Amino acid sequence: MADVAIVGAGVAGLCLAAELARHGLAVTVVDRRYPGGGNTTRNVGRVRRVQLTPELTALAVRAHEAWHHLERLTGGRSSLVYPTRYAWVLYDEEERDRLAPLEPMWRELDARAGIVDGAAALRAVPVLEGGEQPVGAILGEAAIVHHDAALAGLLLACAEAGVDLRRGVRATGLTVAGGRVAGLETDGGPIAATTVVNAAGAEAATVGEALGAPLQLTPARREALVCRPSRPFMSPAVTFYRPQEGWFNQTLRGELVAGSIDPAEPVGFREDASFRFLARTARLVLRKAPRLGGLHVIRQWAGCYELTPDRAPLIGEHAAVPGLYTLGGWSGRGLLLAPIAAELAAREIAGLGRDALLGPFHPDRFAGAEEAPDTGADYYARYLDRRRTM
């Protein structure tokens, strides 16, 4: 018998398993595929402190620090986290004016980020010279995580802690007795447990339905590409949101990784890569940094976000089913937030109380609501307009 059964063996589920084991709890983890088969191995490992709301910024600051101390979970094994700078490049005055009022909040929460003018943006990211002229940038502290190293360290640590990991096992339902969780039903047989956690990433909505706790999540594909290694030519990780969302950075091995968002991307769980993405990303990135035109793409892939209406995670226990928790709804921040979310959720599951940082992220906050996220909406409106009405 397990004290806790976790659905999902990605970085969030494995961090939670390792944390729970540290609290002396017996843990079983099931995954319908294999460890890291979802977005854990389909992302590019960016960890940034700065966010657009106080709630997300406070959590991201703690998450950035947690990644630099993940060895406490992995038994001293390195996750190959390397510090870098973040450049959120701004391309029109309205964009800059909309973000400027957030600087006092960033200072108060130690986001270590601030807005600079266009000239300073070009000095920070010289590869942008010759491209579309920026009006400014948010420059901040960040890191890049090697997701394979993190996954390997967590798997070994979980094995050493006695975590029961079951691959190729699908969650099919919940056993309830006396009004609370008594176990997890799977296609590999029942697992007796007093707590069940839905940490299934982009498939959390499907798992939530099976467990009797529907979640307001919309899956949407995101794609990435990598270019042949070249000599080092940039260090900051670049993101921009005008005219549409895109990003690029160079790895320690000299590869350029890049991506862009299709505002018309249909919702749904898809992991197929597309030629349309290659063409769109090439046009968009070269519009910003024409000097990248000589690089050669050698690989591309896709993963799937799970988007909440307010683009903030779902962390905590469901009121209607005591003992059932959700750890997900990352909306693109799964790798960033996983270590700190798992640490705080484990404390709650272990009976040590709910941390105030998790207050805004209760998994039942959309119960009864009909709103669904618009994957093509203006990026800033998703956060700033909501912030003014909270």
Side-chain angles (χ1 to χ4, degrees):
M1 174 178 175
D3 294 311
V4 184
I6 300 171
V7 183
V11 65
L14 294 176
C15 278
L16 180 61
E19 290 283 3
L20 290 168
R22 287 168 58 87
H23 287 286
L25 300 178
V27 184
T28 296
V29 181
V30 303
D31 196 292
R32 76 171 184 89
R33 295 196 285 193
Y34 53 88
N39 283 348
T40 292
T41 53
R42 297 172 186 267
N43 67 82
V44 295
R46 289 177 163 206
V47 173
R48 76 183 189 200
R49 296 171 75 93
V50 65
Q51 303 290 329
L52 293 182
T53 68
E55 298 83 7
L56 281 172
T57 300
L59 197 61
V61 166
R62 287 281 300 277
H64 179 264
E65 294 164 355
W67 269 112
H68 286 282
H69 299 94
L70 197 71
E71 286 81 2
R72 73 179 187 83
L73 278 189
T74 61
R77 300 175 181 92
S78 174
S79 298
L80 302 182
V81 179
Y82 69 90
T84 188
R85 299 288 290 166
Y86 193 83
W88 182 328
V89 187
L90 311 174
Y91 284 98
D92 65 50
E93 299 289 347
E94 184 270 342
E95 186 180 22
R96 184 179 61 189
D97 293 345
R98 217 168 166 190
L99 294 172
L102 300 182
E103 287 196 278
M105 180 267 287
W106 294 335
R107 286 194 295 271
E108 179 182 352
L109 296 177
D110 194 29
R112 302 176 191 172
I115 298 176
V116 300
D117 61 20
L122 291 177
R123 288 194 298 271
V125 194
V127 75
L128 297 175
E129 293 176 358
E132 184 177 356
Q133 184 69 27
V135 301
I138 304 169
L139 299 182
E141 188 172 325
I144 302 292
V145 174
H146 195 297
H147 54 71
D148 288 333
L151 178 66
L154 288 167
L155 282 170
L156 290 170
C158 284
E160 291 168 356
V163 172
D164 180 10
L165 176 60
R166 304 185 186 183
R167 300 166 176 83
V169 175
R170 184 189 300 270
T172 59
L174 200 64
T175 301
V176 178
R180 66 165 294 117
V181 166
L184 176 69
E185 299 293 331
T186 78
D187 59 4
I191 300 170
T194 56
T195 301
V196 170
V197 182
N198 179 357
E203 298 183 73
T206 301
V207 172
E209 288 286 345
L211 300 183
L215 302 172
Q216 179 105 197
L217 294 174
T218 299
R221 179 178 61 173
R222 296 292 183 258
E223 301 181 71
L225 62 81
V226 61
C227 295
R228 182 181 301 160
S230 59
R231 63 175 178 80
F233 57 80
M234 64 178 295
S235 57
V238 173
T239 294
F240 48 86
Y241 294 96
R242 300 287 173 87
Q244 66 193 74
E245 186 176 346
W247 53 269
F248 60 90
N249 61 269
Q250 192 175 28
T251 71
L252 287 179
R253 295 199 305 176
E255 303 153 320
L256 183 84
V257 293
S260 67
I261 306 303
D262 182 358
E265 177 70 42
V267 299
F269 186 90
R270 296 177 60 193
E271 295 178 332
D272 59 308
S274 66
F275 179 77
R276 180 178 177 181
F277 159 79
L278 283 177
R280 179 181 70 249
T281 301
R283 287 194 301 268
L284 188 60
V285 170
L286 292 180
R287 177 174 173 177
K288 308 298 185 181
R291 294 164 56 185
L292 300 179
L295 300 178
H296 299 276
V297 176
I298 57 174
R299 185 163 57 94
Q300 70 177 100
W301 66 94
C304 196
Y305 281 4
E306 75 278 22
L307 303 169
T308 62
D310 60 2
R311 302 303 198 270
L314 308 174
I315 307 169
E317 185 178 25
H318 293 274
V321 190
L324 177 60
Y325 288 72
T326 288
L327 183 66
W330 305 117
S331 303
R333 298 180 183 83
L335 191 81
L336 162 64
L337 298 178
I340 190 61
E343 178 184 340
L344 300 181
R347 289 180 56 82
E348 184 175 345
I349 292 169
L352 299 177
R354 184 169 175 84
D355 194 283
L357 275 179
L358 300 184
F361 308 122
H362 198 280
D364 294 334
R365 67 183 183 274
F366 304 118
E370 298 181 356
E371 179 184 8
D374 176 5
T375 58
D378 175 72
Y379 179 85
Y380 298 107
R382 300 167 187 163
Y383 300 95
L384 301 182
D385 293 347
R386 290 180 185 279
R387 183 176 53 84
R388 284 194 285 270
T389 59
M390 287 180 64

